Amino acid sequence: MPREMIVILDFGSQYCQLIARRVREHNVYSRICKADITAKELSKLPVKGMILSGGPASVRDAGAPKCDEKIFEMGIPILGICYGMQLGCQILGAKIIAAEKREYGRAKLAIVDKSELFANMPDSTTVWASHGDQVGELGDDFVKLATTGTCPFAAIRHKEKDFFGVQFHPEVAHTPKGSLILKNFLYDICGCSGDWKMSDLVSEAVETIHEQVGDAKVICGLSGGVDSSVVASLVHKAIGEQLVCIFVDNGLLRRNEAEDVVSTFGDHFHIDLRVVDWSERFLAALGGITDPQQKRKIIGFEFIEAFKSAASKIANAKFLAQGTLYPDVIESGAKDGNPAANIKLHHNVGGLPAELGFELIEPLRDLFKDEVRLVGEYLGLPEEIVWRHPFPGPGLAVRIIGEVTTQRLEIVRAADEILIDEIKSAGLYRKISQALAVLVPVGTVGVMGDERSYENVIAIRAVETPDFMTADFSQIPYEVLGTISSRIINEVRGVNRVVYDISSKPPATIEWE
């Protein structure tokens, strides 16, 4: 256990893990706990400070989540964010009301007290707000630190207790000075030393896996992507030959995918790798299916069948290692008490172990993609694996709008290969977080040679994002887009038009299905 930590109480915010990540970026260990953890339980941990997260509820509602009020008697600094501020203020005597004007999106923060929390800050700054309630009456026990145009108490502190509150989200990228605010809290207010490193997380994970597994076998579903590759490397570091990796060839992969995985992990890393060719079963089951959620369900079912077939041949296998990341947990929604909406159905968060009767190992569950890459670099994985763009579990099936056929797979597979080749040639691959080609089931008229054509549309999607919770489209230079378009139209039979997707997430998702 680290010698010091920041505990984050989770009140249901989708940004909760982002808070933990921001804390770790300042080299301070963070741990997320349920909102109702007791002060007595917390006293057993080396807690230097606490953060109360935001949340979707209103503190004025009878059933709103609460915390143990004794945490305010522990003598440790506490920072309340949005809902967490309102809850702390309510407990300590302030009045919370429904705001006359709700505040969502960017707001201009005017700082009136530049000591402690807002040390080294400008007089005003942009912040990201998301609230319908706010403090209405502060009382004599508090000091106002900042305001916005519609929120008179946008930041506060208690005069006697070490409680601070902000009615905005310092953890998101849309609050440019948010990192400095958190740094002030961690170092100047909590007195953290900042000596925690990502390598500490790796060491802790290795130790935990080794103790959990004992002498049993662990199965890992290896796709060749960064998430499953880092999991396989991490588990292999912990238990060596007790790890067996299974690669399922579903026929929905990029060009030469299966061969590359075998070469890298079987031949180079000498990991016990079992390859299951289930491609004919997948494609047969998908025949005639156009509904995207039905496609995902079919792919999930066939993947489990393929995995079960391979796993049944591995003696003493009791654990399953998965590369689940925190955005997967959030976007799978409504599981394990997660209040987030169900956005994705293809993530294997918890489903496969129940089918196989295995105990689950998810060492990356609390991490974002960029943190996983740091772990991969620390473990010595090759650059081409560590920095590979994400690839969805259902493969190219979710990049084909409508029915999945062998012919349509070849079209999108060829377009994908050209897209990745050209952004690499332009030196953009590391700058772009994810790039993909989508086959759109729309025929458009064109002229190819001297003849009229009526063929398919390929949509190009490329985004930049630090965490995949939000994303902006990549501003690829026109000349690069022109080259991509020209090559796809000239080299991929069945395509006569290429378009570029310039939507952001939200409201759009990164994948099209």
Side-chain angles (χ1 to χ4, degrees), residues 199 209 234 251 347 376 391 395 459 473 493:
S199 57
I209 293 168
L234 192 59
H347 289 304
F391 189 65
F473 69 90
R493 289 190 176 275

Side-chain angles (χ1 to χ4, degrees), residues 441-454:
V442 175
T444 68
V445 68
V447 177
M448 305 187 81
D450 294 325
E451 297 183 355
R452 179 181 182 276
S453 68
Y454 195 72

Side-chain angles (χ1 to χ4, degrees), residues 84-190:
M85 169 183 168
Q86 296 165 13
L87 179 61
C89 287
Q90 183 185 66
I91 290 171
L92 296 174
K95 183 179 180 181
I96 309 301
I97 62 170
E100 289 186 12
K101 292 184 178 180
R102 297 184 299 175
E103 199 170 45
Y104 293 101
R106 289 180 173 86
K108 183 63 70 176
L109 185 77
I111 300 170
V112 298
D113 185 337
K114 294 172 65 174
S115 63
E116 298 184 298
L117 193 64
F118 294 111
N120 302 311
M121 293 279 290
D123 293 336
S124 65
T125 186
T126 300
V127 297
W128 185 263
S130 179
H131 63 96
D133 290 348
Q134 64 187 34
V135 176
E137 296 178 14
L138 199 55
D140 296 334
D141 293 330
F142 293 88
V143 175
K144 178 172 67 175
L145 302 181
T147 68
T148 68
T150 60
C151 184
F153 307 113
I156 58 89
R157 68 171 174 83
H158 196 273
K159 290 181 179 178
E160 296 181 2
K161 301 184 185 301
D162 242 354
F163 175 70
F164 298 78
V166 292
Q167 194 58 71
F168 57 87
H169 290 276
E171 70 274 20
V172 302
H174 299 306
T175 301
K177 296 292 184 180
S179 179
L180 178 56
I181 295 170
L182 290 174
K183 182 181 179 182
N184 288 339
F185 177 71
L186 297 172
Y187 286 90
D188 299 338
I189 296 171
C190 298

